[in-house]
Structure formats: C-alpha cells, structure tokens
Amino acid sequence: MFTCSACGAKYNGQTPRWRCDCGHYLHFTSPGMFPKQELKQRPPTLWRYFEAFGIASRDNIVTMGEGYTPLVATEIFGQEVFLKLDYLCPTGSFKDRGTTVMLSKIKEWGIDRIVEDSSGNAGASVSAYAVRAGIQADVYIPAYTSAGKAAQIALYGAKLVRVPGTREDTTRAALAAAENAFYASHNWNPHFVAGLKSLAYEIAEQLDWETPDWIVAPVGGGSLFLGLYEGWRDLMDAGYVTKFPRLVAVQASNCAPIYAGWSQNLDDVPAIEKKATAAEGISIAQPVKGKDILKAIRATEGVACTVTDEEIWDTLPLLAHRGFYVEPTSAATPAAIKKLKAQGIIKDTDKVVVELTGFGLKATDKLIEHYSHLFS
Ligand SMILES: *Cc1c(COP(=O)(O)O)cnc(C)c1O
Ligand SMILES: [Zn+2]
C-alpha cells in the first residue's frame, strides 16, 4: 500500500505509479512481516524477508543474491564498531537493495520499458537489474559524468543518454522521456525504500535481535536513512526488537541541508548553498524527503553531523589499512565517528554500527588523483 506524504491519499499498489496524483512522493507500508523463526532455513540474501516487500509472486523476483552483507567488528578512531559492508552488493553499492525490490515490482506490473536519471551508483544498479529482467532501460546521466560510471551503466546493457547542462536538466529530460515509459527513479519509487528496509532487518538479525546504541549512516536523498528507520519500526511493530537505535545522519559539510534543518530545529530543510564535495553520492541540496528524514532523526533521539572533504580523505586510508576499500562518499560515514567521540556523543562502551555504501573501485580515477603521492 502507498500513502501520499503530503495529502494522505492511499493507493493499493496494484497498478504502476511512482507518485501521488497531487505530485508528492508516496510512503510504502509493508503488507506483512517475515516470520522470524523461519529465517534460519532461508537463503542468505535479502529475499529472506520476502513478506515485507509487497511483491505478490516469488516468480517475479529479479535477484543476483544481493544483501546479507557481512557485519564485521573492527576499531576506528579508538572506537569498537561493526562495519556493514554494503559495498559488496552485486553492482558495488547498497543501491542494489532498493533496485532488486523496485525492479521485481516493475516486472510484476508487466512494464517493459523504464527511464531513470542518475549520475552514478543508482544508474549502474538499475541498468544491471533491468536488463537482467528483460526490461529496456534508458538511463539519463549528466554529460559531465565520469567515464568509469558511464562505462558500468552502458556495459550492463542500458541505453545511456547523456544530457548537457546541470543534474537538474538531466532529471527534466528523463521526466520528458517518461511520457512513453515508466519513470523508475530511485528517489521517488516507494518500492525502492521498501528494499532498503532490509538493511534494518539484517542488522537486527546479525546482532541476534539486540538493538545497537547507534547506527551511523550517510544521507543524500535519504532513501537509505528512511529505509533504516521504517525497517526498524516494522521490527518494533512485530515485537522482534524492543527499542530503536539512535540514528546518525552524516552529510558533507559542503552540502548539508539535513544538518542545517536539524541544527536550526526546523521542520523542513532550508535552502542551502551547495559547494563541490568529494562525497558526490550525498551531494543533494534539496532532498525531496527532507521533512521525513528530520522526523526520523528526532524520533530516534539521533543526531545529524557533517564531515569535511579533508576528514573524508583522511579516513579512507584508515579503512583501507583494515582491508575495507570504499569510495570517498562512503568514507564520510566512518569519518564522523571521530567527531562524535570527541564531542562525547558516542561513548567507548556504546555498540555502534557503521554503514559502508560504495566500493572503492567505483572511484579509481579520483583515488589515483588524490593519493598519487603514495605510489608515484
Ligand atoms: C546513493 C548513495 C548514498 C546516499 O544514499 P541516499 O539513499 O540517497 O541517501 C550514499 N553513498 C553512496 C555510495 C551512494 O551511492
Ligand atoms: Zn498526494
């Protein structure tokens, strides 16, 4: 079931739809819950939580065995943490959690042609899953998008459309093309967030249903963050856990609308001035779901915080020295631990989970450029 985030209109979800008739985005409500006691017999993919995703028939599942990524204990900045290695999903980012469920629903709806706009990881993920499902995908990217990302999108088999101008121009072009195809945008599609709920389910299961004190996660458009929050709410409603973890929303200091809204105690995100940042995956100045993200932070007694590009570049090698190779966007999240500890927000004895979203190999060009002194 879908409920409009603005006017409250409800839709049964049986026919294709990506937003409300009033133009706002839709919330997804899980139709049921997975039976906890059966999980041990199920394969180790996120489809072990099938009942929560709103897919009617298992025949429509489009999967590459995504999810159930390792949760590994390590230490960073003197803090014991569990790293959630979501960069090990099939296309190299956590986006596959949302895409596998979104594309399964699109297949179930009988759609054979979609458009998506993205500048990176979501485009690669949608390309891979759509083509695998036999669905034609046109992925719109800004003309300035780096060659490596364009290559991954094109090689999976989507039709790549390069749009001159800004990121916003790309969205406009994709929306115009959506007159003749379904708009499968990861920022709008309610089943994308449904898939992200699996992150909450998995962390809970992997910690033997014990709630950590903190989950530290990046926020760009906020699908990941809201999936985490709504997934945990499902676990509470089902009685599978007894409390919420406090959620930390991490943003880049050069583009931090959620941090601005949170620190100024606002209900919605204010307009901000956006500057360039190494954390391109979370560089979103006007997140559509800003209000809900702020609510989720406050509902869990969480916090928002920012990290500078310098802190990101300093943290990436620290992770690599422990064997975890992530892209700059993904290093922003663990970078926040240093500040949160120094401010006494996270304590030595706290149980902390840190989400790692994107693989280092995604950004090889940037890593070569930035760390050239290490190997020249
Ligand atoms: C998309 C992305 C994010 C941000 O996720 P949202 O759901 O948009 O908040 C963070 N890290 C990486 C690597 C991403 O690709
Ligand atoms: Zn509405």
Side-chain angles (χ1 to χ4, degrees), residues 160-179:
L160 198 60
V161 184
R162 290 169 185 275
V163 183
T166 63
R167 176 69 180 81
E168 289 69 31
D169 291 329
T170 301
T171 299
R172 270 191 286 278
L175 274 169
E179 299 278 311

Side-chain angles (χ1 to χ4, degrees), residues 261 265-269 290-292 294-295 298:
N265 221 359
L266 307 175
D267 286 339
D268 206 345
V269 290
K291 257 188 174 169
D292 283 326
L294 289 169
K295 264 195 220 158
R298 292 177 180 130

Side-chain angles (χ1 to χ4, degrees), residues 94-95 121 218-224 281-282 327 329 357-358:
F94 81 92
K95 296 282 195 315
N121 292 337
V219 177
S223 297
L224 185 152
I282 49 174
E327 63 174 297
T329 299
T357 48

Side-chain angles (χ1 to χ4, degrees), residues 4-9 11 20-24:
C4 178
S5 59
C7 75
Y11 301 92
C20 181
D21 287 338
C22 82
H24 286 87

